[in-house]
């Protein structure tokens, strides 16, 4: 206190808490869930549930320096009571500390919450500095500095003398030539009459995907599988200015093409390999590409590419949100790059503890009020040339506590078929209480039951197993008809989660191939949130490039998990790089493996159908490194 510049308050930092806290100083409550508490505030033992749950929020508390709860010049004791409603629980992320409040505590920069904007080859943003003190004026020099992450070149540096009166705000904006390279921006405030400075920082998004040409180009999978006699739906993915005219040469009997949309429908009853040539034409030129159609037992010959509602909407998904996503596929051209599925995750059934009936007297599942007409929704999705996916669990309840398929598998498969479902993600939740043990036969059992039910309906349904890799699912997933299987727990939008999952996909590599894919979980780029409150992914632009590149090398299913109606230019660039997507969709279906690891640098290699190899070089460290590849 003696040496501090301002002498009026004390700041206590406790890191983050999973989920709720009550924090005590010398036996007296001083903070709850990140909010200061007055002396004598009653303790609420119910641990009032707040929304959003404060689990990832910093716990900063401030007390007046003369607060009677502080015992100056004596030993003080802080006790933290944590209430965790599930998961690991506890205090994490950040070293607890105590300090006197100084001017830096009153200076707020909203850079992290302000979006970047591209303007031709430049990038920049508008943001503000705010003095939240009601008493003090903040004076100093403010510097904005952008540096290339590749070569350290300074791309922008400007500074100004700033005076911020109490409770005032100043707006700033900048632009620099950085659209095509990674850069780091620092906002440095040097306080007058002191050695202190505050540093805020950003990493700017940058665009690597080449601009789309007006000339036609055919993208997407070069192989496609369907079972004999089952409804066929394949949409030619092609970029180029509309209108485009599509043709398919050597199309087998039973199939027809809509020349305006490139949607091929019908069915083929004869097993076999059908080689066709696809064509797309407009006033700027024409493009051709080969497609091999395999009519046989295997489907999902390339990793499924689509959108799933979970990472964005969680249990708050509804029909409008699903349909809006499908429309964006067309508006923003995602379907021109091979994006196909629109999948509803958990939250469409009747919740387990609802008094409403969950099934009809015949045992058919009833959708909740957010999904008034599943069949009509499926029809709208198919009309766009897209495919329709859904979610369930083998236990009585889904992971979100909604009605699941236990003992109604045949009914449910039939309902899916009636609605036009093309893809089923089948979880494990609540089946744990039914399985006798963790043996492989017990792990396989519920999936065999659903497999038989799916095999008996009159359409192909891609079968996605979601049991987090238990019992090395990759070793037996194919035996239960699994087309893809989750290999890990749920991903979240942090580098820790992404890198731990992505770079550990090694043991399962040999089990990936046409019709069978290891699923390291869905993509966490764009606006995500697992519920009604969304935020831009917490991954930096470089981490996002790593995410998409690694998943593509791994031949992983690519399931976008963001709000497509808020797709920004950077995220769209990540999702539409045809060269990268082509690696994921390569017909050989080989998963990349790490061939060399040197310190922070990992070299992953994927064999391709044409004999070439794709190489991914990843820097897992936090600084720029120069590597040589011979
Ligand atoms: C599990 C799955 C998630 C999601 C939720 C739905 O956690 O792993 O991907 O499907 O269930 O409740």
């Amino acid at each position: 206190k003696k040496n501090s510049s301002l002498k009026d308050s004390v700041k206590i930092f406790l890191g983050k808490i999973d989920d709720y806290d009550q924090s005590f100083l010398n036996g007296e409550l001083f903070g709850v869930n990140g909010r200061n508490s007055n002396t004598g505030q009653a303790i609420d033992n119910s641990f009032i549930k707040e929304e959003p749950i404060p689990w990832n929020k910093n716990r900063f508390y401030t007390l007046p320096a003369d607060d009677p709860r502080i015992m100056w010049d004596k030993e003080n004791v802080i006790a933290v009571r944590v209430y965790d409603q599930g998961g690991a629980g506890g205090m994490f992320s950040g070293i607890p500390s105590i300090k006197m409040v100084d001017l830096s505590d009153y200076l707020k920069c909203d850079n992290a919450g302000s979006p970047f904007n591209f303007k031709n080859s430049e990038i920049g943003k508008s943001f503000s500095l705010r003095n939240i003190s009601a008493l003090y004026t903040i004076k100093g020099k403010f510097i904005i500095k952008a540096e290339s992450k590749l070569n350290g070149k300074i791309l922008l540096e400007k500074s100004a003398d700033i005076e911020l009166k109490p409770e005032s705000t100043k707006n700033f904006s900048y632009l620099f030539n950085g659209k095509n390279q990674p850069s780091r921006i620092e906002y440095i405030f040097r306080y007058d009459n002191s050695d202190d400075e505050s540093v805020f920082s950003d990493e700017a998004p940058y665009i690597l995907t080449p601009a789309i040409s007006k000339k036609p180009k055919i993208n997407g999978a070069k192989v496609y599988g369907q079972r004999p006699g089952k409804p066929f739906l394949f949409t030619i993915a092609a970029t180029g200015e509309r209108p485009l005219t599509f043709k398919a040469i050597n199309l087998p009997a039973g199939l027809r093409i809509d020349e305006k949309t490139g949607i091929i429908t019908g069915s083929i009853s004869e097993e076999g390999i059908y080689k066709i040539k696809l064509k797309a034409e407009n006033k700027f030129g024409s493009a051709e590409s080969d497609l091999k159609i395999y009519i046989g037992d295997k489907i999902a010959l390339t990793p499924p590419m689509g959108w799933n509602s979970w990472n964005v909407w969680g249990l708050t998904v509804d029909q409008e949100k699903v349909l809006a996503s499908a429309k964006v596929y067309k508006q923003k051209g995602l379907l021109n790059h091979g994006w196909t599925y629109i999948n509803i995750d958990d939250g469409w059934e009747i919740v387990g503890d609802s008094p409403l009936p969950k099934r009809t007297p015949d045992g058919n599942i009833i959708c909740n009020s957010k999904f008034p007409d599943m069949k009509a929704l499926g029809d709208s999705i198919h009309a766009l040339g897209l495919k329709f996916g859904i979610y369930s669990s083998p236990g009585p309840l889904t992971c979100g506590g909604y009605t699941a398929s236990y003992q109604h598998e045949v009914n449910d498969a039939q309902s899916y078929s009636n609605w036009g479902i093309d893809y089923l993600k089948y979880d494990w939740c609540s089946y744990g209480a039914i399985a006798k043990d963790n043996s492989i036969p017990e792990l396989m059992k519920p999936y065999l039951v659903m497999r038989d039910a799916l095999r008996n309906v009159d359409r192909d349904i891609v079968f996605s197993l979601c049991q987090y890799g238990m019992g090395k699912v990759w070793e037996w997933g194919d035996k239960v008809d699994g087309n893809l299987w989750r290999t890990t727990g749920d991903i979240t939008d942090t580098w820790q989660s992404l890198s731990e999952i992505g770079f550990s996909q090694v043991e399962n590599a040999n089990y990936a191939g046409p019709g069978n894919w290891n699923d390291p979980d869905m993509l966490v780029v764009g606006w995500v949130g697992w519920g009604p409150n969304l935020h831009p992914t917490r991954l930096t632009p470089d981490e996002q490039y790593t995410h998409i590149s690694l998943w593509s090398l791994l031949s992983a299913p690519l399931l976008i998990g963001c709000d497509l109606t808020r797709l920004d230019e950077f995220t769209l660039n990540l999702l539409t790089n045809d060269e990268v997507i082509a690696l994921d969709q390569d017909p050989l279906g080989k998963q990349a493996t790490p061939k060399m690891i040197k310190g922070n640098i990992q070299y992953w290699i994927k064999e391709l159908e044409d004999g070439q190899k794709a190489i991914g070089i990843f820097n897992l460290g936090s600084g720029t490194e120069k590597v040589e590849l011979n």
Side-chain angles (χ1 to χ4, degrees):
K1 187 178 175 187
K2 226 176 273 163
N3 298 330
S4 67
S5 56
L6 312 176
K7 303 199 181 296
D8 51 20
S9 341
V10 177
K11 182 168 171 178
I12 300 172
F13 175 55
L14 300 176
K16 292 178 174 177
I17 288 174
D18 180 8
D19 298 321
Y20 303 88
D21 72 298
Q22 292 174 347
S23 297
F24 300 83
L25 178 63
N26 302 318
E28 303 252 11
L29 189 69
F30 69 91
V32 176
N33 301 340
R35 285 186 307 274
N36 302 324
S37 302
N38 295 327
T39 316
Q41 181 178 313
I43 297 170
D44 180 353
N45 280 322
S46 71
F47 271 94
I48 293 175
K49 304 282 196 308
E50 280 185 30
E51 283 293 340
I53 300 166
W55 77 273
N56 202 26
K57 204 170 112 186
N58 278 319
R59 278 3 184 227
F60 282 113
Y61 296 111
T62 46
L63 292 170
D66 58 2
D67 192 291
R69 289 169 289 192
I70 305 175
M71 303 195 298
W72 287 102
D73 303 317
K74 294 207 176 76
E75 187 169 270
N76 289 251
V77 177
I78 291 177
V80 183
R81 191 178 183 206
V82 174
Y83 173 71
D84 174 33
Q85 55 177 347
M91 300 172 74
F92 69 106
S93 189
I95 299 168
S97 62
I98 299 178
K99 64 179 283 235
M100 292 301 293
V101 169
D102 59 35
L103 287 180
S104 70
D105 293 300
Y106 294 118
L107 183 71
K108 301 289 164 197
C109 184
D110 71 354
N111 63 304
S114 315
F116 276 99
N117 293 306
F118 292 110
K119 200 175 166 204
N120 304 321
S121 63
E122 296 189 307
I123 178 140
K125 66 160 63 173
S126 300
F127 67 99
S128 60
L129 276 182
R130 198 155 53 98
N131 176 2
I132 61 166
S133 163
L135 278 182
Y136 302 109
T137 294
I138 302 180
K139 277 172 88 170
K141 192 180 256 340
F142 186 45
I143 303 153
I144 304 176
K145 192 170 153 187
E147 195 182 295
S148 161
K149 281 184 77 182
L150 288 181
N151 52 26
K153 219 176 116 189
I154 303 298
L155 304 170
L156 168 85
E157 180 154 14
K158 58 177 192 177
S159 69
D161 291 318
I162 304 291
E163 181 176 317
L164 279 166
K165 294 253 152 46
E167 294 183 329
S168 72
T169 301
K170 271 202 163 55
N171 298 325
F172 299 86
S173 64
Y174 63 85
L175 266 181
F176 64 94
N177 209 311
K179 186 174 180 178
N180 307 108
Q181 62 172 316
S183 54
R184 183 180 154 84
I185 299 105
E186 284 194 340
Y187 313 91
I188 306 158
F189 196 94
R190 299 211 171 109
Y191 298 88
D192 278 0
N193 310 322
S194 120
D195 295 335
D196 286 349
E197 59 177 34
S198 293
V199 181
F200 309 92
S201 68
D202 268 325
E203 293 206 10
Y206 57 104
I207 304 289
L208 294 179
T209 299
I212 293 171
S213 156
K214 288 180 175 177
K215 287 191 190 155
K217 178 159 80 77
I218 299 181
N219 307 306
K222 303 275 176 275
V223 289
Y224 180 73
Q226 199 89 69
R227 298 196 179 103
K230 298 291 162 75
F232 187 101
L233 176 63
F234 179 90
T235 302
I236 303 175
T239 48
E241 193 166 283
R242 268 47 186 179
L244 281 174
T245 307
F246 294 96
K247 293 220 157 63
I249 299 170
N250 287 335
L251 206 58
L255 296 187
R256 62 193 164 270
I257 180 167
D258 179 327
E259 297 200 345
K260 286 204 181 90
T261 58
I263 301 174
I264 304 175
T265 50
S267 82
I268 308 180
S269 46
E270 284 285 301
E271 284 203 11
I273 304 172
Y274 301 83
K275 291 183 189 169
I276 63 175
K277 200 169 267 312
L278 307 175
K279 279 193 169 179
E281 209 173 9
N282 66 9
K283 64 178 180 201
F284 299 100
S286 70
E288 281 189 4
S289 176
D290 294 325
L291 176 71
K292 264 190 215 162
I293 299 174
Y294 289 80
I295 301 296
D297 203 41
K298 283 265 173 194
I299 56 172
L301 299 185
T302 60
M305 289 175 65
W307 173 88
N308 170 294
S309 57
W310 185 249
N311 290 354
V312 48
W313 302 119
L315 296 171
T316 66
V317 61
D318 61 37
Q319 179 170 298
E320 285 70 40
K321 292 183 172 109
V322 174
L323 204 52
S325 305
K327 288 185 178 152
V328 172
Y329 266 39
K330 202 172 163 75
Q331 281 157 12
K332 297 264 180 172
L334 286 168
L335 58 79
N336 305 339
H337 302 273
W339 297 96
T340 304
Y341 289 93
I342 293 286
N343 296 352
I344 308 171
D345 206 282
D346 203 355
W348 60 270
E349 320 84 337
I350 305 281
V351 75
D353 57 15
S354 157
L356 296 171
K358 321 282 175 339
R359 294 185 175 273
T360 64
D362 300 340
N364 294 330
I365 189 138
I366 299 174
C367 303
N368 64 37
S369 57
K370 298 185 297 163
F371 288 90
D373 194 341
M374 214 48 119
K375 166 90 171 73
L377 179 59
D379 289 346
S380 313
I381 289 171
H382 289 143
L384 292 165
L386 302 173
K387 298 198 175 191
F388 185 26
I390 209 160
Y391 163 98
S392 188
S393 238
L397 294 176
T398 67
C399 298
Y402 286 66
T403 307
S405 298
Y406 184 55
Q407 292 183 331
H408 291 90
E409 296 81 359
V410 171
N411 289 87
D412 286 358
Q414 194 51 55
S415 297
Y416 303 154
S417 174
N418 297 345
W419 300 334
I421 294 292
D422 303 292
Y423 182 115
L424 171 66
K425 172 175 171 183
Y426 206 45
D427 216 311
W428 174 263
C429 277
S430 82
Y431 191 84
I434 291 164
K436 286 207 240 22
D437 52 42
N438 281 337
S439 64
I440 305 292
E442 280 298 290
L443 292 175
M444 288 173 77
K445 205 189 231 166
Y447 296 101
L448 286 169
V449 175
M450 187 47 100
R451 174 198 72 175
D452 292 345
L454 293 176
R455 278 281 177 161
N456 277 318
V457 300
D458 57 8
R459 55 189 298 118
D460 285 337
I461 298 183
V462 167
F463 197 23
S464 155
L465 318 185
C466 178
Q467 48 83 290
Y468 337 115
M470 287 184 297
K472 299 191 181 183
V473 61
W474 44 90
E475 291 181 356
W476 50 265
D478 184 40
K479 295 201 186 99
V480 301
D481 257 9
N483 297 115
L484 58 153
W485 41 75
R486 279 271 297 280
T487 55
T488 73
D490 290 12
I491 197 167
T492 188
D493 58 326
T494 63
W495 172 245
Q496 186 182 353
S497 168
L498 163 70
S499 58
E500 277 176 14
I501 291 179
F503 292 103
S504 64
Q505 302 300 307
V506 180
E507 185 192 347
N508 53 35
N510 285 337
Y511 297 90
N516 304 113
W517 309 105
N518 291 307
D519 176 6
D521 207 1
M522 301 176 284
L523 304 176
V524 277
V525 300
W527 283 76
V528 293
W530 293 268
N533 301 305
L534 307 185
H535 60 263
T537 178
R538 289 174 288 166
L539 300 174
T540 66
D542 283 326
E543 290 165 356
Q544 296 179 63
Y545 274 119
T546 296
H547 188 13
I548 303 297
S549 305
L550 181 58
W551 261 236
S552 297
L553 286 164
L554 291 174
S555 310
L558 300 177
L559 288 153
I560 304 169
C562 69
D563 181 358
L564 287 180
T565 64
R566 279 166 99 162
L567 207 52
D568 54 284
E569 192 179 341
F570 172 72
T571 310
L572 189 64
N573 133 90
L574 288 171
L575 301 175
T576 55
N577 191 319
D578 297 316
E579 283 185 22
V580 177
I581 294 174
L583 299 181
D584 182 72
Q585 297 291 302
D586 185 72
L588 190 62
K590 279 259 186 176
Q591 181 170 322
T593 51
K595 285 287 186 255
M596 191 159 68
I597 297 180
K598 283 188 173 174
N600 288 326
I601 310 297
Q602 302 200 359
Y603 299 80
W604 287 64
I605 302 203
K606 174 176 167 70
E607 289 170 39
L608 302 174
E609 193 200 31
D610 65 2
Q612 296 197 69
K613 289 174 169 50
I615 309 178
I617 309 175
F618 296 94
N619 176 359
L620 278 69
S622 49
T624 299
E625 289 197 33
K626 209 165 188 169
V627 299
E628 254 175 40
L629 180 66
N630 186 340

